């Protein structure tokens, strides 16, 4: 439903918090997460009420944000949450070898960038003490790595490249996925593309907290794919 633009960031964060805590959240806990410096109960409850109105009703006439008998807030069953869909697709993939690659590919299409990318400064501070960031990064990386392996085993080097890049959209510092990408690009036979991606990797690592240092496994792979003389010419 329509919502004033200035109220949108806070209501969006409220929905995001509930989406990542499907077991339900008591208003007091929600208040502590969204307003870590404290908030009056009437202000908190006004934001909750506003968000309930914003999300409206589902096809059965039920609120898309409701309070259960224990006073906990939940998102309704018809609210689509990409993270929950991603996990379900990965679960199905593990149980269905015949469709594993297709299901992993479908899951990775949901990955459009870093977790909650573009969030306003000073908000979502609860992420710092939540395992969500680690869990999302780990699961997306595992799914991308597995799909890359499946695509390469099937002789689909370009599909393997796309799988690795899908994972790197969220975890751009994951060197396992970078090694997957370099192997997949090399399998296409395009050495110029390999040099390009090695350059991109070194540029990104140079601006990281590791100051350009790559893992020994990554350096060894680069040396294997681009022996030193060829790599020096590329530089």
């Amino acid at each position: 439903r329509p919502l004033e633009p200035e109220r949108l960031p806070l209501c969006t964060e409220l929905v995001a918090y509930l989406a990542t805590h499907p077991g339900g959240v008591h208003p007091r806990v929600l208040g502590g997460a969204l307003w870590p410096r404290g908030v009056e109960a009437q202000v908190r409850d006004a934001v909750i009420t506003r968000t309930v109105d914003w999300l409206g009703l589902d096809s059965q006439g039920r609120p898309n944000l409701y309070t259960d008998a224990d006073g906990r807030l939940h998102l309704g069953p018809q609210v689509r949450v990409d993270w929950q869909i991603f996990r379900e697709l990965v679960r199905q993939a593990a149980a269905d070898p015949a469709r594993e690659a297709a299901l992993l590919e479908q899951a990775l299409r949901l990955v459009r960038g870093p977790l909650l990318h573009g969030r306003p400064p000073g908000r979502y501070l609860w992420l710092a003490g939540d395992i969500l960031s680690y869990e999302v990064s780990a699961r997306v990386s595992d799914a991308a790595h597995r799909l890359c392996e499946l695509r390469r085993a099937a002789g689909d080097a370009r599909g393997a490249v796309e799988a690795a890049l899908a994972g790197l959209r969220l975890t751009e510092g994951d060197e396992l996925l970078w090694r997957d990408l370099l192997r997949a690009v090399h399998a296409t036979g395009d050495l110029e593309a390999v040099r390009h991606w090695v350059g991109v990797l070194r540029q990104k690592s140079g601006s990281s907290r590791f100051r350009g240092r790559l893992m020994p496994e990554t350096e060894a792979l680069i040396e294997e794919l681009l022996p030193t003389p060829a790599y020096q010419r590329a530089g």
Side-chain angles (χ1 to χ4, degrees):
R1 292 183 175 183
L3 184 67
E4 299 93 329
E6 64 273 14
R7 301 190 187 278
L8 184 61
L10 184 56
C11 292
T12 299
E13 183 177 2
L14 189 156
V15 173
Y17 191 82
L18 294 181
T20 54
H21 296 78
V25 179
H26 192 278
R28 287 196 301 272
V29 176
L30 180 68
L34 269 60
W35 294 274
R37 296 182 179 179
V39 64
E40 294 182 357
Q42 62 185 26
V43 173
R44 177 200 67 204
D45 293 345
V47 173
I48 293 173
T49 299
R50 188 176 298 119
T51 308
V52 171
D53 292 341
W54 177 40
L55 295 188
L57 307 177
D58 67 15
S59 63
Q60 304 299 315
R62 302 168 299 190
N64 281 313
L65 196 167
Y66 68 94
T67 303
D68 66 17
D70 295 323
R72 291 185 176 87
L73 297 161
H74 298 260
L75 294 179
Q78 293 186 15
V79 177
R80 174 192 169 99
V81 179
D82 284 355
W83 175 231
Q84 294 174 7
I85 295 172
F86 178 92
R87 291 193 303 176
E88 175 60 18
L89 288 168
V90 170
R91 186 197 67 77
Q92 291 179 20
D96 189 350
R99 300 176 59 223
E100 183 179 12
L103 289 166
L104 289 175
E105 184 175 319
Q106 186 178 349
L108 288 166
R109 288 197 197 105
L110 297 170
V111 180
R112 296 183 293 274
L115 177 66
L116 296 172
H117 180 64
R119 57 185 180 269
R123 299 232 58 91
Y124 295 83
L125 299 179
W126 48 271
L127 276 176
D130 200 295
I131 66 168
L132 178 67
S133 295
Y134 171 80
E135 184 182 4
V136 170
S137 296
R139 288 184 181 243
V140 169
S141 178
D142 288 348
H145 176 65
R146 177 59 179 162
L147 181 57
C148 191
E149 286 184 328
L150 291 171
R151 292 303 190 206
R152 286 184 61 212
D156 182 4
R158 297 197 180 280
V161 169
E162 292 174 1
L165 288 174
L168 287 169
R169 282 198 293 269
L170 187 139
T171 56
E172 66 173 18
D174 189 329
E175 288 194 35
L176 173 64
L177 291 181
W178 275 105
R179 293 194 294 274
D180 284 339
L181 175 64
L182 295 180
R183 290 189 183 97
V185 173
H186 188 267
T188 68
D190 189 345
L191 287 182
E192 287 302 317
V194 177
R195 294 187 182 101
H196 165 76
W197 285 112
V198 168
V200 172
L201 172 58
R202 291 204 181 279
Q203 182 180 28
K204 288 184 177 297
S205 67
S207 60
S208 75
R209 60 190 177 93
F210 300 110
R211 299 181 180 179
R213 293 193 300 273
L214 298 174
M215 296 176 65
E217 297 93 327
T218 307
E219 292 286 8
L221 178 62
I222 292 173
E223 177 65 22
E224 176 188 345
L225 301 181
L226 294 175
T228 301
Y231 179 66
Q232 288 177 341
R233 288 198 300 271

